[in-house]
């Protein structure tokens, strides 16, 4: 059976967007060193102080809208891999991102799942209407789905809430032949569990690309450390030239 081709799943985290100018969360000087998760990224925080939570996301939304934050060559390389892998009929490439920015879309990735939601979308807490949002929230806006006022929130998954599309994600992980984890510290579950889920299968080759070993680093078949903009284009070229590497099974 040709194991050098097949479906690929790539999990991305804040590290892939860092060189586009978006800070990560847990690196030195990261977002969570400047603001408490409990104050801005939980349902309780929203209940206690909706204006503070809305303002936190309004600021992040505005940064994405000012046109200064653009995809980098790592985002572009993943979009190229998806396109060429499919056109060669070698399988499907799906990006599962923990990021709420839209840089994968801007780079051209189409098979894309935002498991933590999207900063450029809003959701009605009453009727569930989800729509593209280019405006500040929390100032008396009306839901276009149910005409209620002051019911819109960022379509972002807060701590303690269930990430999106988990059934679809585990279905993709079950089928893939290559799992790449890219630019994530492996701190937040269930994303941090994906390597345990795929790593035990003899048919899946796993690669970690990061600046430093993540919490799950020892579970990967291969790890490479450095900048995403150096590592990702190289790995994509290797995959397009040589296909999926084969696991080294211990010879008895
Ligand atoms: N190239 C490659 N990796 C990088 C780069 C870079 N230029 N810059 C940073 N990194 C790596 C860091 O080494 C770190 O391990 O990216 C990782 C970022 O880790 P976190 O800041 O923890 O971000 P992430 O793993 O995406 O966080 C997961 O936590 O706060 C929640 O919802 C939030 O989606 C986020 C989730």
């Amino acid at each position: 059976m040709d194991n050098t081709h097949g479906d690929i799943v790539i999990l991305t985290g804040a590290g892939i967007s860092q060189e586009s100018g978006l800070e990560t969360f847990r690196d030195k000087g990261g977002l969570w060193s400047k603001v408490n998760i409990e104050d801005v990224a939980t349902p309780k925080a929203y209940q206690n102080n909706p204006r503070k939570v809305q303002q936190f996301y309004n600021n992040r939304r505005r940064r994405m809208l000012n046109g200064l934050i653009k995809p980098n060559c790592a985002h572009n390389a993943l979009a190229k891999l998806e396109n060429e892998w499919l056109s060669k009929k070698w399988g499907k490439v799906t990006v599962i991102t923990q990021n709420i920015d839209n840089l994968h879309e801007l780079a051209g990735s189409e098979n894309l799942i935002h498991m933590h939601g999207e900063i450029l979308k809003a959701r009605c807490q009453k009727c569930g209407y989800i729509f593209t949002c280019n405006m500040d929230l929390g100032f008396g806006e009306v839901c276009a789905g149910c005409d209620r006022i002051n019911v819109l929130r960022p379509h972002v998954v807060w701590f303690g809430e269930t990430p999106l599309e988990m059934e679809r994600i585990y279905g993709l992980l079950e089928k893939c032949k290559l799992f790449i984890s890219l630019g994530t510290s492996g701190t937040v579950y269930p994303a941090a569990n994906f390597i345990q889920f795929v790593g035990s299968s003899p048919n899946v080759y796993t690669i970690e690309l990061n600046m430093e070993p993540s919490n799950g680093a020892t579970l990967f078949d291969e790890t490479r450390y450095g900048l995403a903009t150096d590592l990702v284009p190289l790995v994509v070229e290797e995959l397009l030239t040589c296909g999926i590497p084969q696991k080294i099974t211990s010879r008895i």
Side-chain angles (χ1 to χ4, degrees), residues 13-15 18-19 24-27 32 98 116 159 183-186 188 210-212 226-228:
Q18 185 268 331
E19 291 165 91
T24 62
F25 295 95
R26 295 172 184 83
D27 288 323
W32 297 145
Q98 301 173 87
H116 290 167
F159 285 89
T184 179
S185 61
V188 173
N210 209 43
M211 278 300 274
E212 59 192 6
L227 291 171

Side-chain angles (χ1 to χ4, degrees), residues 25-85:
F25 295 95
R26 295 172 184 83
D27 288 323
K28 197 165 171 304
L31 208 48
W32 297 145
S33 68
K34 296 172 189 155
V35 64
N36 283 330
I37 289 174
E38 297 71 28
D39 294 340
V40 293
T42 68
K44 195 157 176 48
Y46 183 74
Q47 204 181 350
N48 294 342
N49 190 341
R51 181 165 294 273
K52 181 179 176 91
V53 172
Q54 295 283 24
Q55 206 43 44
F56 174 68
Y57 289 96
N58 288 343
N59 294 339
R60 293 176 74 189
R61 187 180 303 107
R62 277 200 223 127
R63 280 198 71 193
M64 292 315 300
L65 291 170
N66 70 16
L68 300 176
I69 307 284
K70 298 189 187 316
N72 60 54
C73 60
H75 296 102
N76 297 337
L78 295 188
K80 176 183 174 187
L81 178 64
E82 174 185 334
N83 187 31
E84 295 200 12
W85 201 259

